[in-house]
Amino acid sequence: MQSVFYPDDRINARYDIKGCEVSRWTEPAPEGSQIIVVLKDLNFEGQYVILEMKCSLNQQRPWLLQQVEMDTRFLQSLHVLDYSLLLAHQPLQPDERHHSLSFATLIMRTKKSVNPGSSPLHAGIAPVPEDDSTLTLSETDCRYASGGGSIPTCPEHSGPSSDAAELPDFRVQNRRLLPNLKNPLHVIDGPEQRYFIGIIDIFTVYSFKKRLEHWWKRLRHPGRSFSTVSPQTYCLRLCHWVQDHTK
């Protein structure tokens, strides 16, 4: 959990999501309390992970949906269930809400502020990996390497002389450019909030004992959703939860 929720300063709420309803409510901590309480699915009802920005280049939501689908399908292939999607959010600082700064601009500023080959901004963080198919500054400004959905282009590059066909398909790489964050693997910025998202508890296999538990819960909680279901059902249900609770 600490690997996902890092850095944890200014985090308002933490959630453990399984995509079901039975035993998925936790009493929140009293207002002003210093106790950290991890909330659950029913506590999150009526809320959304808002990733869409006014900038048309935003591709955060398609990337997240694709990544969750790939991860859960991988766990399904291993016959794993009962894992959790950890979710937390914190308000962005005023300067972090300035969306006119593209990732390319941030990368260029980072390169100017550190020595060549050194880790950007934070010691111990590996620099952004490079390959033979790097983009120029103007190209990166107009395309968001999100790994999901279509890659939009700027109007000035959409004419007959456009080199869009020669660009690498980042949807295959599914790699994100977040060189200046302490936890780039689990951090996604929306217009107002910074979200921490990751999957944990991936060691429960759908064994014979779990199959018996599934049938027992079906009798005890008829018509209600619970955590102990087949890996395929668990995978699809969590993907649907993320799709229904993101904008």
Side-chain angles (χ1 to χ4, degrees):
M1 186 174 293
Q2 292 179 354
S3 298
V4 178
F5 297 155
Y6 178 81
D8 61 356
D9 55 314
R10 297 189 293 117
I11 287 183
N12 289 336
R14 299 164 172 82
Y15 297 88
D16 179 296
I17 302 298
K18 293 183 181 291
C20 56
E21 57 180 329
V22 174
S23 300
R24 301 307 297 165
W25 168 267
T26 297
E27 193 66 31
E31 186 175 354
S33 173
Q34 298 299 317
I35 299 176
I36 296 178
V37 176
V38 179
L39 306 174
K40 298 180 181 179
D41 301 62
L42 296 181
N43 298 96
F44 195 81
E45 284 306 305
Q47 303 181 62
Y48 294 91
V49 175
I50 300 178
L51 301 175
E52 297 295 336
M53 303 179 187
K54 294 182 180 179
C55 174
S56 60
L57 301 184
N58 176 52
Q59 294 290 314
Q60 294 280 55
R61 184 174 183 269
W63 178 88
L64 175 62
L65 296 179
Q66 183 187 41
Q67 190 64 55
V68 170
E69 180 181 2
M70 290 194 303
D71 291 346
T72 54
R73 288 193 179 278
F74 171 71
L75 295 176
Q76 176 188 336
S77 69
L78 300 177
H79 305 289
V80 170
L81 74 157
D82 213 25
Y83 42 88
S84 296
L85 181 74
L86 286 187
L87 171 63
H89 56 81
Q90 64 179 210
L92 289 176
Q93 301 286 11
D95 60 328
E96 294 173 327
R97 301 180 186 181
H98 189 57
H99 303 311
S100 63
L101 295 178
S102 67
F103 277 103
T105 305
L106 292 174
I107 294 171
M108 293 302 295
R109 288 186 178 182
T110 302
K111 288 183 177 180
K112 291 180 180 179
S113 63
V114 299
N115 296 326
S118 64
S119 178
L121 296 188
H122 297 287
I125 305 297
V128 177
E130 297 182 357
D131 54 25
D132 295 333
S133 57
T134 55
L135 297 178
T136 65
L137 177 60
S138 60
E139 289 169 343
T140 311
D141 258 339
C142 301
R143 296 165 181 84
Y144 187 81
S146 64
S150 60
I151 302 177
T153 58
C154 287
E156 60 266 29
H157 292 289
S158 59
S161 60
S162 174
D163 56 356
E166 300 177 2
L167 291 175
D169 190 349
F170 285 100
R171 288 172 294 181
V172 176
Q173 300 182 33
N174 206 44
R175 189 176 61 193
R176 301 168 68 224
L177 298 177
L178 296 176
N180 64 327
L181 295 178
K182 295 181 180 180
N183 185 14
L185 183 62
H186 297 291
V187 172
I188 304 178
D189 282 354
E192 301 291 336
Q193 300 282 337
R194 172 164 293 164
Y195 297 95
F196 298 80
I197 303 176
I199 294 178
I200 65 167
D201 294 343
I202 57 174
F203 299 107
T204 301
V205 178
Y206 197 47
S207 60
F208 178 72
K209 181 179 179 180
K210 284 294 178 180
R211 293 173 187 271
L212 292 178
E213 182 180 340
H214 167 75
W215 288 107
W216 178 76
K217 288 186 176 181
R218 284 193 64 178
L219 295 175
R220 185 177 181 183
H221 307 287
R224 303 183 66 191
S225 59
F226 45 85
S227 61
T228 310
V229 292
S230 69
Q232 179 180 7
T233 301
Y234 201 97
C235 165
L236 294 175
R237 189 172 63 188
L238 191 60
C239 288
H240 290 156
W241 189 96
V242 175
Q243 185 172 4
D244 293 341
H245 291 81
T246 54
K247 291 184 177 181

PDB file of all heavy atoms in Angstrom, residues 104-128:
ATOM      1  N   ALA A 104       6.539  17.758 -23.123  1.00  0.00           N
ATOM      2  CA  ALA A 104       7.796  18.055 -23.802  1.00  0.00           C
ATOM      3  C   ALA A 104       8.485  19.243 -23.154  1.00  0.00           C
ATOM      4  O   ALA A 104       9.702  19.248 -22.968  1.00  0.00           O
ATOM      5  CB  ALA A 104       7.532  18.336 -25.275  1.00  0.00           C
ATOM      6  N   THR A 105       7.710  20.260 -22.791  1.00  0.00           N
ATOM      7  CA  THR A 105       8.288  21.429 -22.135  1.00  0.00           C
ATOM      8  C   THR A 105       8.887  21.045 -20.793  1.00  0.00           C
ATOM      9  O   THR A 105       9.978  21.488 -20.432  1.00  0.00           O
ATOM     10  CB  THR A 105       7.219  22.509 -21.938  1.00  0.00           C
ATOM     11  OG1 THR A 105       6.626  22.812 -23.210  1.00  0.00           O
ATOM     12  CG2 THR A 105       7.815  23.773 -21.343  1.00  0.00           C
ATOM     13  N   LEU A 106       8.171  20.215 -20.034  1.00  0.00           N
ATOM     14  CA  LEU A 106       8.685  19.779 -18.734  1.00  0.00           C
ATOM     15  C   LEU A 106       9.977  18.992 -18.892  1.00  0.00           C
ATOM     16  O   LEU A 106      10.924  19.154 -18.124  1.00  0.00           O
ATOM     17  CB  LEU A 106       7.635  18.929 -18.018  1.00  0.00           C
ATOM     18  CG  LEU A 106       6.376  19.659 -17.559  1.00  0.00           C
ATOM     19  CD1 LEU A 106       5.374  18.654 -17.010  1.00  0.00           C
ATOM     20  CD2 LEU A 106       6.701  20.707 -16.518  1.00  0.00           C
ATOM     21  N   ILE A 107      10.024  18.140 -19.912  1.00  0.00           N
ATOM     22  CA  ILE A 107      11.221  17.334 -20.140  1.00  0.00           C
ATOM     23  C   ILE A 107      12.403  18.228 -20.500  1.00  0.00           C
ATOM     24  O   ILE A 107      13.510  18.059 -19.997  1.00  0.00           O
ATOM     25  CB  ILE A 107      10.968  16.295 -21.244  1.00  0.00           C
ATOM     26  CG1 ILE A 107       9.932  15.273 -20.761  1.00  0.00           C
ATOM     27  CG2 ILE A 107      12.259  15.595 -21.648  1.00  0.00           C
ATOM     28  CD1 ILE A 107       9.461  14.344 -21.835  1.00  0.00           C
ATOM     29  N   MET A 108      12.158  19.214 -21.375  1.00  0.00           N
ATOM     30  CA  MET A 108      13.233  20.104 -21.780  1.00  0.00           C
ATOM     31  C   MET A 108      13.735  20.922 -20.597  1.00  0.00           C
ATOM     32  O   MET A 108      14.931  21.128 -20.430  1.00  0.00           O
ATOM     33  CB  MET A 108      12.747  21.027 -22.899  1.00  0.00           C
ATOM     34  CG  MET A 108      12.446  20.313 -24.207  1.00  0.00           C
ATOM     35  SD  MET A 108      13.858  19.401 -24.859  1.00  0.00           S
ATOM     36  CE  MET A 108      14.979  20.760 -25.201  1.00  0.00           C
ATOM     37  N   ARG A 109      12.807  21.395 -19.747  1.00  0.00           N
ATOM     38  CA  ARG A 109      13.224  22.146 -18.567  1.00  0.00           C
ATOM     39  C   ARG A 109      14.029  21.269 -17.610  1.00  0.00           C
ATOM     40  O   ARG A 109      14.987  21.704 -17.005  1.00  0.00           O
ATOM     41  CB  ARG A 109      11.994  22.709 -17.847  1.00  0.00           C
ATOM     42  CG  ARG A 109      11.324  23.850 -18.595  1.00  0.00           C
ATOM     43  CD  ARG A 109      10.201  24.446 -17.764  1.00  0.00           C
ATOM     44  NE  ARG A 109       9.597  25.569 -18.442  1.00  0.00           N
ATOM     45  CZ  ARG A 109       8.616  26.308 -17.924  1.00  0.00           C
ATOM     46  NH1 ARG A 109       8.155  26.024 -16.716  1.00  0.00           N
ATOM     47  NH2 ARG A 109       8.101  27.315 -18.599  1.00  0.00           N
ATOM     48  N   THR A 110      13.610  20.009 -17.491  1.00  0.00           N
ATOM     49  CA  THR A 110      14.324  19.085 -16.611  1.00  0.00           C
ATOM     50  C   THR A 110      15.732  18.842 -17.109  1.00  0.00           C
ATOM     51  O   THR A 110      16.696  18.840 -16.346  1.00  0.00           O
ATOM     52  CB  THR A 110      13.567  17.747 -16.516  1.00  0.00           C
ATOM     53  OG1 THR A 110      12.256  17.990 -16.027  1.00  0.00           O
ATOM     54  CG2 THR A 110      14.291  16.785 -15.600  1.00  0.00           C
ATOM     55  N   LYS A 111      15.878  18.661 -18.413  1.00  0.00           N
ATOM     56  CA  LYS A 111      17.197  18.399 -18.981  1.00  0.00           C
ATOM     57  C   LYS A 111      18.132  19.588 -18.775  1.00  0.00           C
ATOM     58  O   LYS A 111      19.332  19.426 -18.626  1.00  0.00           O
ATOM     59  CB  LYS A 111      17.065  18.079 -20.472  1.00  0.00           C
ATOM     60  CG  LYS A 111      16.464  16.711 -20.754  1.00  0.00           C
ATOM     61  CD  LYS A 111      16.417  16.422 -22.230  1.00  0.00           C
ATOM     62  CE  LYS A 111      15.878  15.021 -22.508  1.00  0.00           C
ATOM     63  NZ  LYS A 111      15.821  14.723 -23.944  1.00  0.00           N
ATOM     64  N   LYS A 112      17.570  20.804 -18.794  1.00  0.00           N
ATOM     65  CA  LYS A 112      18.393  21.989 -18.610  1.00  0.00           C
ATOM     66  C   LYS A 112      18.802  22.176 -17.151  1.00  0.00           C
ATOM     67  O   LYS A 112      19.777  22.852 -16.856  1.00  0.00           O
ATOM     68  CB  LYS A 112      17.638  23.226 -19.101  1.00  0.00           C
ATOM     69  CG  LYS A 112      17.450  23.265 -20.614  1.00  0.00           C
ATOM     70  CD  LYS A 112      16.691  24.513 -21.031  1.00  0.00           C
ATOM     71  CE  LYS A 112      16.500  24.556 -22.543  1.00  0.00           C
ATOM     72  NZ  LYS A 112      15.735  25.764 -22.959  1.00  0.00           N
ATOM     73  N   SER A 113      18.022  21.596 -16.237  1.00  0.00           N
ATOM     74  CA  SER A 113      18.264  21.832 -14.821  1.00  0.00           C
ATOM     75  C   SER A 113      19.149  20.786 -14.168  1.00  0.00           C
ATOM     76  O   SER A 113      19.556  20.925 -13.033  1.00  0.00           O
ATOM     77  CB  SER A 113      16.937  21.909 -14.052  1.00  0.00           C
ATOM     78  OG  SER A 113      16.259  20.674 -14.123  1.00  0.00           O
ATOM     79  N   VAL A 114      19.447  19.702 -14.875  1.00  0.00           N
ATOM     80  CA  VAL A 114      20.290  18.649 -14.322  1.00  0.00           C
ATOM     81  C   VAL A 114      21.412  18.338 -15.283  1.00  0.00           C
ATOM     82  O   VAL A 114      21.372  18.691 -16.452  1.00  0.00           O
ATOM     83  CB  VAL A 114      19.477  17.362 -14.047  1.00  0.00           C
ATOM     84  CG1 VAL A 114      18.396  17.622 -13.038  1.00  0.00           C
ATOM     85  CG2 VAL A 114      18.876  16.825 -15.349  1.00  0.00           C
ATOM     86  N   ASN A 115      22.441  17.672 -14.787  1.00  0.00           N
ATOM     87  CA  ASN A 115      23.545  17.278 -15.646  1.00  0.00           C
ATOM     88  C   ASN A 115      23.139  16.143 -16.559  1.00  0.00           C
ATOM     89  O   ASN A 115      22.292  15.317 -16.202  1.00  0.00           O
ATOM     90  CB  ASN A 115      24.743  16.852 -14.795  1.00  0.00           C
ATOM     91  CG  ASN A 115      25.286  17.985 -13.965  1.00  0.00           C
ATOM     92  OD1 ASN A 115      25.270  19.147 -14.402  1.00  0.00           O
ATOM     93  ND2 ASN A 115      25.764  17.665 -12.770  1.00  0.00           N
ATOM     94  N   PRO A 116      23.709  16.066 -17.754  1.00  0.00           N
ATOM     95  CA  PRO A 116      23.367  14.962 -18.656  1.00  0.00           C
ATOM     96  C   PRO A 116      23.614  13.614 -17.997  1.00  0.00           C
ATOM     97  O   PRO A 116      24.654  13.392 -17.385  1.00  0.00           O
ATOM     98  CB  PRO A 116      24.317  15.180 -19.847  1.00  0.00           C
ATOM     99  CG  PRO A 116      24.651  16.644 -19.810  1.00  0.00           C
ATOM    100  CD  PRO A 116      24.674  17.001 -18.339  1.00  0.00           C
ATOM    101  N   GLY A 117      22.647  12.744 -18.116  1.00  0.00           N
ATOM    102  CA  GLY A 117      22.773  11.400 -17.563  1.00  0.00           C
ATOM    103  C   GLY A 117      22.351  11.278 -16.130  1.00  0.00           C
ATOM    104  O   GLY A 117      22.268  10.187 -15.593  1.00  0.00           O
ATOM    105  N   SER A 118      22.094  12.423 -15.460  1.00  0.00           N
ATOM    106  CA  SER A 118      21.655  12.349 -14.069  1.00  0.00           C
ATOM    107  C   SER A 118      20.166  12.154 -13.996  1.00  0.00           C
ATOM    108  O   SER A 118      19.449  12.403 -14.953  1.00  0.00           O
ATOM    109  CB  SER A 118      22.053  13.625 -13.328  1.00  0.00           C
ATOM    110  OG  SER A 118      21.381  14.742 -13.880  1.00  0.00           O
ATOM    111  N   SER A 119      19.687  11.721 -12.848  1.00  0.00           N
ATOM    112  CA  SER A 119      18.269  11.462 -12.667  1.00  0.00           C
ATOM    113  C   SER A 119      17.517  12.769 -12.493  1.00  0.00           C
ATOM    114  O   SER A 119      17.927  13.624 -11.721  1.00  0.00           O
ATOM    115  CB  SER A 119      18.053  10.577 -11.448  1.00  0.00           C
ATOM    116  OG  SER A 119      16.689  10.354 -11.244  1.00  0.00           O
ATOM    117  N   PRO A 120      16.394  12.996 -13.189  1.00  0.00           N
ATOM    118  CA  PRO A 120      15.689  14.268 -13.129  1.00  0.00           C
ATOM    119  C   PRO A 120      15.024  14.508 -11.794  1.00  0.00           C
ATOM    120  O   PRO A 120      14.197  13.729 -11.357  1.00  0.00           O
ATOM    121  CB  PRO A 120      14.648  14.146 -14.261  1.00  0.00           C
ATOM    122  CG  PRO A 120      14.477  12.690 -14.465  1.00  0.00           C
ATOM    123  CD  PRO A 120      15.793  12.060 -14.122  1.00  0.00           C
ATOM    124  N   LEU A 121      15.410  15.602 -11.163  1.00  0.00           N
ATOM    125  CA  LEU A 121      14.759  16.175 -10.000  1.00  0.00           C
ATOM    126  C   LEU A 121      14.863  15.357  -8.726  1.00  0.00           C
ATOM    127  O   LEU A 121      14.965  15.875  -7.647  1.00  0.00           O
ATOM    128  CB  LEU A 121      13.282  16.460 -10.290  1.00  0.00           C
ATOM    129  CG  LEU A 121      13.024  17.503 -11.379  1.00  0.00           C
ATOM    130  CD1 LEU A 121      11.544  17.820 -11.421  1.00  0.00           C
ATOM    131  CD2 LEU A 121      13.822  18.769 -11.170  1.00  0.00           C
ATOM    132  N   HIS A 122      14.798  14.048  -8.818  1.00  0.00           N
ATOM    133  CA  HIS A 122      14.805  13.234  -7.604  1.00  0.00           C
ATOM    134  C   HIS A 122      15.883  12.169  -7.706  1.00  0.00           C
ATOM    135  O   HIS A 122      15.908  11.390  -8.659  1.00  0.00           O
ATOM    136  CB  HIS A 122      13.443  12.561  -7.391  1.00  0.00           C
ATOM    137  CG  HIS A 122      12.350  13.544  -7.180  1.00  0.00           C
ATOM    138  ND1 HIS A 122      12.200  14.266  -6.022  1.00  0.00           N
ATOM    139  CD2 HIS A 122      11.355  13.945  -8.002  1.00  0.00           C
ATOM    140  CE1 HIS A 122      11.160  15.055  -6.125  1.00  0.00           C
ATOM    141  NE2 HIS A 122      10.633  14.882  -7.311  1.00  0.00           N
ATOM    142  N   ALA A 123      16.747  12.128  -6.738  1.00  0.00           N
ATOM    143  CA  ALA A 123      17.811  11.136  -6.746  1.00  0.00           C
ATOM    144  C   ALA A 123      17.231   9.740  -6.651  1.00  0.00           C
ATOM    145  O   ALA A 123      16.292   9.494  -5.915  1.00  0.00           O
ATOM    146  CB  ALA A 123      18.765  11.390  -5.582  1.00  0.00           C
ATOM    147  N   GLY A 124      17.803   8.832  -7.398  1.00  0.00           N
ATOM    148  CA  GLY A 124      17.351   7.446  -7.347  1.00  0.00           C
ATOM    149  C   GLY A 124      16.248   7.134  -8.325  1.00  0.00           C
ATOM    150  O   GLY A 124      15.839   6.001  -8.457  1.00  0.00           O
ATOM    151  N   ILE A 125      15.748   8.136  -9.058  1.00  0.00           N
ATOM    152  CA  ILE A 125      14.705   7.904 -10.060  1.00  0.00           C
ATOM    153  C   ILE A 125      15.360   7.805 -11.415  1.00  0.00           C
ATOM    154  O   ILE A 125      16.081   8.712 -11.831  1.00  0.00           O
ATOM    155  CB  ILE A 125      13.665   9.035 -10.058  1.00  0.00           C
ATOM    156  CG1 ILE A 125      13.084   9.214  -8.664  1.00  0.00           C
ATOM    157  CG2 ILE A 125      12.567   8.758 -11.081  1.00  0.00           C
ATOM    158  CD1 ILE A 125      12.340   8.003  -8.165  1.00  0.00           C
ATOM    159  N   ALA A 126      15.134   6.720 -12.104  1.00  0.00           N
ATOM    160  CA  ALA A 126      15.767   6.528 -13.399  1.00  0.00           C
ATOM    161  C   ALA A 126      15.243   7.531 -14.403  1.00  0.00           C
ATOM    162  O   ALA A 126      14.067   7.871 -14.381  1.00  0.00           O
ATOM    163  CB  ALA A 126      15.505   5.096 -13.902  1.00  0.00           C
ATOM    164  N   PRO A 127      16.103   8.035 -15.309  1.00  0.00           N
ATOM    165  CA  PRO A 127      15.620   8.965 -16.325  1.00  0.00           C
ATOM    166  C   PRO A 127      14.671   8.283 -17.284  1.00  0.00           C
ATOM    167  O   PRO A 127      14.611   7.049 -17.355  1.00  0.00           O
ATOM    168  CB  PRO A 127      16.916   9.396 -17.036  1.00  0.00           C
ATOM    169  CG  PRO A 127      17.877   8.283 -16.786  1.00  0.00           C
ATOM    170  CD  PRO A 127      17.531   7.751 -15.422  1.00  0.00           C
ATOM    171  N   VAL A 128      13.932   9.078 -18.046  1.00  0.00           N
ATOM    172  CA  VAL A 128      12.981   8.532 -19.010  1.00  0.00           C
ATOM    173  C   VAL A 128      13.728   7.700 -20.022  1.00  0.00           C
ATOM    174  O   VAL A 128      14.712   8.157 -20.614  1.00  0.00           O
ATOM    175  CB  VAL A 128      12.235   9.668 -19.732  1.00  0.00           C
ATOM    176  CG1 VAL A 128      11.300   9.102 -20.768  1.00  0.00           C
ATOM    177  CG2 VAL A 128      11.481  10.503 -18.726  1.00  0.00           C
TER     178      VAL A 128
END
